[in-house]
Amino acid sequence: MKSLWQFIRNNYAILAVLCVFAWACATIVRHRAKEAPPGTITLRVAHWQLEPGVRDGFRILGEEYQKMMKQTRDIDVRIVQDLIPESTYGQWASTQLMGGTASDIVEIGLGLPAPMWLAYLNRYFMPLTPYVMEPNPYNKGEAFANTAWRQTFTDGMRAGYREELQEYMTVPLSQFNMRLFYNKDLLRKLTGSDQAPPDYRGFLAACAKIAEQKSPTTGRAYVPIAGSGYNIGMWETNLCELATYGLLRRADFNRDATMGNDEFYVAIRTGMIRFDDPAIKTRFQMVHELTQHFPPGFTGLSRDDGVFLFTQQRAVFMTTGTWDAEALRANAKGQFEVGMMNLPLPLSSDPEYGRFFVGPRYEQGWIGIPMGITRTCKHPEIALDFLQYLSSRRGNQEFNRIVGWVPAISGAEPPPFMRGFEPNMSGIYPAFNVNLGGETFIKWQQINALFQVNQCTFEKLAEEFVPFYIERGKKDWTEQQRDWRRGLQKNEQMLAATRAKALDPKARDTEVLWARYRNLTVRRQLWPETVHQAQVRMLEQGFAPDAVGPYEFTPAAYARLGQEFGKSAGVSPATKEGAR
Amino acid sequence: MTPQTVHWRQLRHHWELYLFFIPTLILIVTFQYFPAGSGIFHSFYRWNGSDVSEYVGFANYADLLQNPAFWASFKLAFLLGFWNVVKMIPALLVAVCIHRCVSTKMQFLYRALFVIPMVIPGLVIVLIWRSFFFETTSGYLNWFLQGSGAIQWLAWLDTQFGWGEIFVVGKNAAWLGDPRLIVLSCIIWGFPWVGSFAVLTYLAKLQGIGNDIYEAAAIDGVNWWTKFTRIELPLILGSIHLLLVFVIIDTIKDAGMILALAGIQGGPGGVATVPALFMLRKAFVEQQMGYACAVGIVLMLVVMTLQKASNLLLNWGELKGQQRVFARIAGLLLAALLTWYGLLIPWGLILFFAILPYGWIRDGFEKLNLFGGDSATEMERQQRLAADPSAGSKRMNRMTEILLRTAKHGFILFVLAFAFLPLGLMLLVSLKDNNQFYLKPARLTFPMHWENWSTAWTSIAPTVANSLFLSILSTSLALTFALGAAYFFARKRMPMSGLFWNAILVLLMLPAIANLVPLFRLLRDLNLLNTLTALILVSTSAGQVFAIFVLRNFVADIPQELFEAAEVDGASHFQQMRVVVFPLVGPILGTVGVMNFISVWNDFVLPLIVIRDHIRLPVMVELLRMAGEYFKVWGPLMAGYALASIPVIILFLFTMKFFIRGLTEGAVKG
């Protein structure tokens, strides 16, 4: 006994380390056994939605699904969430996808430039096109029992479709939109009214009034708009950039009614659009005006730091997505009433900005939480099945009830607070898209951050960014086009399969198959290639000084029209300028 | 002891010695040299890490060298390196003050108190600074500036120097949101900058000064300043040099803390982009892996050049005349190059004006040393002491002594208070709910929410277990392999051992981050991604390099007679290791082990990239993820930070004695 005690005394440090090591081993083994019992199919779902409730939504629906699978198909499934914060999501997704260790289902779209995600979708994700035409089995016995899966989405699953790949790639689960939240009590106290001004000038005036007043308890001035670098982006894309809508007419070379980043690059490089165009200047001028009412150094704040001022009742307004609505309400509970409204657009009578704004932002594309199935998924059929479960009318309603969001499936009821948050289906897209990926993306983020915090004027930004964008952007543009062209091989395979089916003498509906073949050939192979070649030509040869955009008419054409109809006043170049 | 040389023809009698080195060799070749080679290879390719690989020759390098952002990142790295050198001063002063405490109990108490805040993981400190100090609207730094009136001085300076209204009375400075302040934020975080390793190294060196020297100095009436400048400072100059080299090189090759503080974009305008962050961005945001490899190679070359230059400067006295001329010409060329390249003009000029009179500057420092290095005789030392005008026979009167003591303890307590501030805040907030935190972030509020600790524990326990498993296992493996390798190098001079030794020395300079991309690919090919095995192998491989470097000297210092006696008794090399070496290297093994443990525990860059599953994450990555949540629940988050620090604090408290002993016996031979 004595010798044992002596041994312990002499070796207490090593014994302590051994005990700790044994505890660590036991804990690791216990947790692993708990997560994946033998014979269980583990389905991992990776997402960045760390808002309150989302984890619960996936967990509860996951547990229901596990139970259902066991009862109906005798399959042991375990749904595990990989929760990755926004700040590291892009880097996490890159490394996991490249390493072949990505989760089975991955949420798409954050932390990397859009072209990069496109390349990843092409390379690492499974196309869902063959399945979206079939009914969702979990809608059996309901109104959508015989409706194609994609038709059950409020947007016809447009948000899951990638034009560039011509495939349905993701399954969206909720729909969002951007709104202006405000502290009704504080607004009333500071401005005398609890209704926020609906127009831009009125809103700026209210902000100025708020900024003049100080809190009686802290002696500090109130901040009109709470937010961080995360929130300012919402103002930019949903309000300020709408001023650029008219530029679409100059550079929508593929005529899809949106400004692609490649189109914007070609337009800027060739001079079709100038960076000092009044519409673009307006975009920057508005950002400048708004950021004066943000907290100092807001770009250095994290997303939750941005909320901090709002919940502390030191800021009146805050713009965020409806995904934050529940959390904002929860934080304000018992303290103040949260109001909600659309972003304040300039009135058409606004002498400075009115001519650039023709309507609010079109919000159909805001159907979110796009979940894709990775090619490395060991059980893609189960992953697909789980996504169908989540996007069934009942499943989607339940998921969004728990999370507090608006469902993405037609007929699914939103939670009571979210009624009235449905997206605006009538509006316009912005036509400002400098996000070409690669170095230009980094440069843009850096220089735009300086502009946002008033450390750089528009002139300086343009002087520094535009030459860089034009010069270095060529490399990024080429890279993006290369990535897109790699997808052509896949299209050839699909075309060959469609043609083989059509040529099969036993095949039915051969006319439909041939129509699909021709359609695919034109839309996937010929038209994109034509657009690509056109862009190459434009980059190589440039534009003539008097060149016009795809939807515009040359002065000569106007002249001919005038001669023909004899009323040149109605279609004068002045009108054309106005339309821009 | 000079090891006996074994020739090729004698190899059959001693071949088994290679067995001691084989595990090390396998690990360093696989996880250090192969990725480095792969990095060099891929740096000539346009490579996205996946399906695009196209030979482009030197295009990546050409593009890189013309990239102003890359050079700007070096400019920042040098600036931060300079400040990191300045930041060594508080640690030095603290060590001297603790060492000067007459009471050994007070010394022990201070040492123990300093250890606690010092060993809190750097990441935790960064996150606390980010959330509490730098926060614009209600951060403590702004609160202090406004409350103390310091903002008025700053605002005055702002007006005088035209800083552009960074500091305005009544307005909060945007520390992390203003491009003009972000670099300053990168400098001041972690105040008062008393790193554990530095303080303990200085303390260990200072303990080597015998009492008789102080007694002799006291008899001669040497005042406190002369004691510092003529006795203590010269003795620890070696350690300062060594730490200085580490600090500068670390600044260039490390991106972790900047990543945590300013994000991968390097803050607003990307102003806080250091070279390693530039590389990470190229690799994992822009997906230009080949380009990132080229950045890694350039980083490696710069670090190696700096290492070589520092060695040259440290051993200036031993250089021959011709070598000095050559070194000066090389320095002048480098100065001309830096000056020619616009962004680095100040550094070029500093180098230009320092390179020619370097010998005189160094000689001046040498003369400061009362002991004149090893070569000075006792007579010379006495003469130097006598010749020192400040070391006159002025005896300190009682009043001065009391004042000095008060100042000493006051300084220690001041630094301690600041060092404990993040820890205090962490504990304070860990007992609050969100409402309490929003309303009174810095005051004790009731009721206290102790349940936050259990919530945090439930959340991070698996990751703490992973970190413990990882740190203990990789430290044990690293020490085992390193001891074997040290025995191999120290016992005999085997054929090719010189080559192997140089290969290990090169690894000391190799920035690990430069190999990150090829290492990731290697781990993927070995099917080791998302496994703790990957982290264990890589950290063992990296950890053993420094351990071999330290242990080799210790094994070499063991008297040859002991080995010979064992050999006469028929002991094999394995038995000699067990019976002779192992019992004698205990303290140094402990020291190196603690350092390795802390390094593995604190690492988060590799696990962030390699590990996917939550149940496999080390605790540091989990903390980073917790800090990234929206609508943070502050109480459990801070409790989590505290829980993640506890194992390291306990480890240090238990092993501090060994650690100091190991250092005193020369773990860091300066």
Side-chain angles (χ1 to χ4, degrees), chain B residues 489-556:
Chain B
F489 286 117
R491 190 72 180 82
K492 308 260 184 213
R493 190 170 286 166
M494 300 290 286
M496 292 179 70
S497 65
L499 176 76
F500 292 145
W501 179 247
N502 283 323
I504 285 180
L505 284 185
V506 167
L507 288 180
L508 273 179
M509 304 171 224
L510 200 71
I513 205 151
N515 285 339
L516 203 58
V517 177
L519 183 65
F520 174 77
R521 193 179 148 90
L522 171 72
L523 293 173
R524 185 187 70 179
D525 294 345
L526 292 173
N527 209 14
L528 285 175
L529 287 182
N530 197 30
T531 62
L532 285 178
T533 313
L535 300 181
I536 290 167
L537 289 172
V538 175
S539 46
T540 302
S541 155
Q544 63 174 355
V545 174
F546 180 68
I548 294 170
F549 180 68
V550 174
L551 291 174
R552 183 218 191 200
N553 294 334
F554 274 79
V555 180

Side-chain angles (χ1 to χ4, degrees), chain A residues 86 308 312 445 479 482, chain B residues 46 265 438 524 612 630:
Chain A
E86 202 177 282
F308 193 64
Q312 275 191 320
Q445 283 198 318
E479 192 71 30
R482 272 187 190 145
Chain B
R46 191 178 76 86
Q265 303 299 344
Y438 288 149
R524 185 187 70 179
R612 176 197 65 188
Y630 323 129

Side-chain angles (χ1 to χ4, degrees), chain A residues 41-45 65 69 73 77 79 103-106 126 128 138 149 171 371-374 377-391:
Chain A
I41 294 172
T42 302
L43 205 62
R44 309 195 72 91
V45 182
Y65 180 75
M69 287 294 273
R73 298 195 219 170
V77 182
I79 309 291
S103 309
D104 303 289
I105 298 173
V106 173
M126 222 175 81
L128 303 174
Y138 292 103
W149 185 20
V171 178
M371 311 300 282
I373 300 173
T374 51
C377 174
K378 284 182 185 146
H379 302 280
E381 71 293 347
I382 305 281
L384 180 73
D385 194 62
F386 181 57
L387 286 181
Q388 287 183 325
Y389 184 77
L390 284 175
S391 59

Side-chain angles (χ1 to χ4, degrees), chain B residues 59-87:
Chain B
N60 286 333
Y61 289 97
D63 194 61
L64 181 64
L65 295 176
Q66 289 167 17
N67 193 330
F70 179 65
W71 291 110
S73 74
F74 264 106
K75 189 181 167 191
L76 177 68
F78 284 128
L79 184 71
L80 292 180
F82 169 76
W83 280 105
N84 284 343
V85 171
V86 174
K87 280 152 84 174

Side-chain angles (χ1 to χ4, degrees), chain B residues 463-512:
Chain B
T463 58
V464 169
N466 289 336
S467 278
L468 283 170
F469 178 78
L470 176 66
S471 307
I472 293 173
L473 199 59
S474 66
T475 301
S476 313
L477 288 173
L479 290 183
T480 310
F481 296 153
L483 193 59
Y487 183 80
F488 167 80
F489 286 117
R491 190 72 180 82
K492 308 260 184 213
R493 190 170 286 166
M494 300 290 286
M496 292 179 70
S497 65
L499 176 76
F500 292 145
W501 179 247
N502 283 323
I504 285 180
L505 284 185
V506 167
L507 288 180
L508 273 179
M509 304 171 224
L510 200 71

Side-chain angles (χ1 to χ4, degrees), chain A residues 28-41:
Chain A
I28 290 170
V29 169
R30 203 175 62 241
H31 277 92
R32 288 202 186 167
K34 213 161 79 181
E35 192 178 67
T40 306
I41 294 172

Side-chain angles (χ1 to χ4, degrees), chain B residues 201-395:
Chain B
T201 308
Y202 295 142
L203 268 178
K205 279 281 168 190
L206 290 169
Q207 279 185 0
I209 304 173
N211 272 342
D212 52 332
I213 293 171
Y214 282 111
E215 282 163 12
I219 290 166
D220 288 338
V222 171
N223 65 25
W224 63 276
W225 175 247
T226 311
K227 262 190 217 168
F228 175 66
T229 55
R230 310 300 297 267
I231 298 176
E232 290 156 347
L233 187 62
L235 263 179
I236 54 174
L237 264 182
S239 300
I240 293 175
H241 270 145
L242 192 78
L243 289 172
L244 204 135
V245 173
F246 279 145
V247 157
I248 293 174
I249 291 173
D250 275 354
T251 313
I252 290 176
K253 66 183 195 182
D254 185 37
M257 294 307 144
I258 302 281
L259 183 71
L261 199 64
I264 199 152
Q265 303 299 344
V271 178
T273 301
V274 287
L277 191 66
F278 179 84
M279 192 194 78
L280 278 183
R281 219 160 48 204
K282 281 282 168 202
F284 298 116
V285 176
E286 297 175 39
Q287 231 201 340
Q288 297 182 22
M289 297 290 179
Y291 198 102
C293 287
V295 180
I297 302 303
V298 173
L299 266 183
M300 189 169 74
L301 290 175
V302 170
V303 169
M304 286 170 82
T305 309
L306 280 176
Q307 178 85 8
K308 196 74 195 159
S310 64
N311 277 344
L312 208 68
L313 298 181
L314 286 177
N315 301 316
W316 188 261
E318 293 163 22
L319 295 183
K320 290 176 192 157
Q322 220 172 7
Q323 287 172 317
R324 288 187 186 190
V325 171
F326 178 75
R328 282 203 167 102
I329 291 171
L332 284 173
L333 283 176
L334 186 62
L337 196 72
L338 293 178
T339 315
W340 173 72
Y341 196 85
L343 281 168
L344 300 168
I345 284 176
W347 303 104
L349 291 177
I350 289 171
L351 191 61
F352 184 79
F353 287 113
I355 196 75
L356 287 175
Y358 179 73
W360 304 323
I361 296 168
R362 198 175 181 282
D363 291 346
F365 266 101
E366 280 288 301
K367 279 179 191 155
L368 271 180
N369 191 345
L370 285 177
F371 309 101
D374 295 333
S375 57
T377 62
E378 189 59 34
M379 182 72 83
E380 283 170 338
R381 290 170 188 169
Q382 291 299 335
Q383 281 169 355
R384 283 180 193 179
L385 191 60
D388 180 16
S390 60
S393 56
K394 316 176 279 283
R395 281 178 185 279

